[in-house]
Amino acid sequence: MSPDFLSGIRFTDLTWAGAGPFGTKVFSDFGAEVLKIESMSRPDPVRRGGPFKDGVAGTNRSGYFASRNTGKRSISLDLKNPEGREIALRLIAQSDVVSNNFGPGAMERLGLTYDEVRAVKPDIIYLSMPMYGEDGPLSTLLGVGMTIAAVTGLMWMTGYGRGEKPLGPGTHYPDHAANPYHAAFAVLAALRYRRHTGRGMKIDLSQVESTANFVGASILEASVHDREPEHTGNRSRRDAPHNVFRCAGEDAWCAIAVESDTEWLALAATIGRQDLAARPELRKAAGRLAATEELEAAVTAWTRAHGAVEAGTILQNAGVPAARVSSARDLVEEDTQLAARGYWQTLEHPEMGPSLFTAPPFTIDGERVELRRPPLFGEHTQEVLTGLLGMSDAEIAELAERKILA
């Protein structure tokens, strides 16, 4: 399916790293023109962070950068130079949205505050995504995905027991889930509002507040019961067995999540432990929780004799929620469901060659949105400055010579 849903919307996109570029990628994947502004003095840091295709480092070879910038157009422009700033303002004057996820004070230093931008584009939608928001006692602090997970309590809630160190969610979760999508929702709402009223607006998205929205029931428990939720690792506070269990093979695991008395009886029968099913105290969740260690040992004795996929399939067929614990390689190479639904898309990249990308996680009228490849650094500078701003080749060459377009 051709990604033309948001055709006619233009971003001057100053975002970098994770959350910001992922938020604007939502628009570029659906046909908006997203002009990604960066310079070699301030490149998007994930360009240099990898992982790199075939292990070969390069400005245009980062898989992380590629995955977060599909469909965008790259313009090399030194915003710290006054002439570079003026070019940026000319681009903004022909844009619908200007976006940044810089730390506090950065846009002021660049001379690109909301008021300065609004002077050239009165109905602009201005997205700002600092860690804490633009006001309040902590608004001057900087942060990234891991620190945001820490200060919002997300990291505190993931661990195996009191006294053990917090584990965190295993990735910069705020960068990949909460913050980019909240930003995209806010911009879509602002675009709709402007269509009806003609008014632009400033969106001040606090990444901490955005992530706190994903914390969920733990905040309610703390506020209602005045206590912290117990750290349970992969166990449940309500039922058992509920954990990941080692299977046959190297580092192979199966997740099993019993959540009802019926599922428990099905599990006991499947693993051949009718003796456990017959014990009256194990017919209810409270009794099973009290016997967690014993039940987990019984389940492990069974799973160790089966491969992870096999164990999951047998239990699923018996009505027990279970699944292999998949690695990234498993998802790419062996997940038949993702493959059957066309979730993976291969795009030809000038430097990386054929490269695998994740599609938007839905179909529309049964079709996938077709991704467009990510840009090379500065790939569209000439095209945009001539086509959009009417600059001559000689002007562009002179600016490039003076490192303003670099």
Side-chain angles (χ1 to χ4, degrees), residues 2-279:
S2 176
D4 57 0
F5 296 92
L6 296 176
S7 177
I9 300 297
R10 180 180 293 124
F11 280 64
T12 297
D13 184 21
L14 309 180
T15 64
W16 63 346
F22 198 0
T24 56
K25 164 188 157 67
V26 172
F27 292 86
S28 61
D29 283 347
F30 284 88
E33 183 182 16
V34 178
L35 306 177
K36 184 175 181 66
I37 311 297
E38 52 183 333
S39 69
M40 274 301 179
S41 64
R42 192 202 69 86
D44 191 322
V46 299
R47 280 191 179 276
R48 296 175 173 173
F52 298 107
K53 181 69 180 294
D54 302 322
V56 178
T59 299
N60 297 311
R61 298 184 62 82
S62 168
Y64 189 179
F65 175 87
S67 70
R68 294 298 177 256
N69 291 279
T70 48
K72 298 181 183 180
R73 307 174 82 191
S74 174
I75 300 170
S76 55
L77 184 63
D78 183 2
L79 296 176
K80 295 181 180 179
N81 185 292
E83 291 179 75
R85 172 185 177 273
E86 290 306 312
I87 293 172
L89 286 172
R90 290 175 64 186
L91 293 173
I92 290 168
Q94 298 193 52
S95 298
D96 301 284
V97 183
V98 59
S99 49
N100 83 87
N101 60 330
F102 297 148
M107 294 297 275
E108 286 78 5
R109 292 189 295 273
L110 293 172
L112 295 173
T113 64
Y114 180 48
D115 288 339
E116 289 166 311
V117 166
R118 191 166 48 168
V120 301
K121 179 69 170 175
D123 65 346
I124 196 72
I125 295 166
Y126 188 97
L127 171 65
S128 177
M129 300 174 62
M131 178 176 177
Y132 275 106
E134 293 194 353
D135 57 8
L138 301 181
S139 61
T140 60
L141 298 181
L142 300 173
V144 293
M146 181 176 178
T147 52
I148 293 169
V151 301
T152 56
L154 192 62
M155 190 173 289
W156 175 254
M157 297 165 196
T158 52
Y160 286 100
R162 295 299 182 199
E164 297 189 23
K165 66 180 180 181
L167 292 177
T171 183
H172 288 183
Y173 183 81
D175 287 352
H176 307 306
N179 300 337
Y181 287 115
H182 280 150
F185 297 155
V187 171
L188 284 170
L191 287 168
R192 180 175 175 82
Y193 178 77
R194 191 186 67 173
R195 187 173 69 182
H196 289 292
T197 68
R199 292 179 53 194
M201 63 180 63
K202 179 180 182 179
I203 300 168
D204 173 13
L205 183 142
S206 160
Q207 294 199 42
V208 167
E209 294 173 20
S210 174
T211 305
N213 270 264
F214 276 62
V215 171
S218 296
I219 288 180
L220 291 176
E221 184 162 350
S223 62
V224 173
H225 299 296
D226 193 27
R227 67 180 182 227
E228 289 287 344
E230 180 186 358
H231 289 181
T232 58
N234 293 311
R235 288 174 172 173
S236 166
R237 288 181 288 155
R238 293 175 294 276
D239 218 321
H242 189 292
N243 211 328
V244 295
F245 298 87
R246 185 174 288 280
C247 297
E250 183 180 354
D251 202 18
W253 303 82
C254 182
I256 301 173
V258 167
E259 295 189 324
S260 72
D261 300 336
T262 300
E263 290 170 2
W264 156 243
L265 292 175
L267 173 63
T270 301
I271 66 174
R273 292 301 302 268
Q274 288 82 358
D275 58 317
L276 296 177
R279 283 166 52 180

Side-chain angles (χ1 to χ4, degrees), residues 332-356:
V332 172
E333 297 181 354
E334 299 181 21
D335 194 300
T336 56
Q337 178 68 14
L338 292 177
R341 282 178 53 85
Y343 178 64
W344 306 108
Q345 293 189 26
T346 299
L347 303 180
E348 190 66 37
H349 188 277
E351 292 195 22
M352 295 192 295
S355 301
L356 198 69

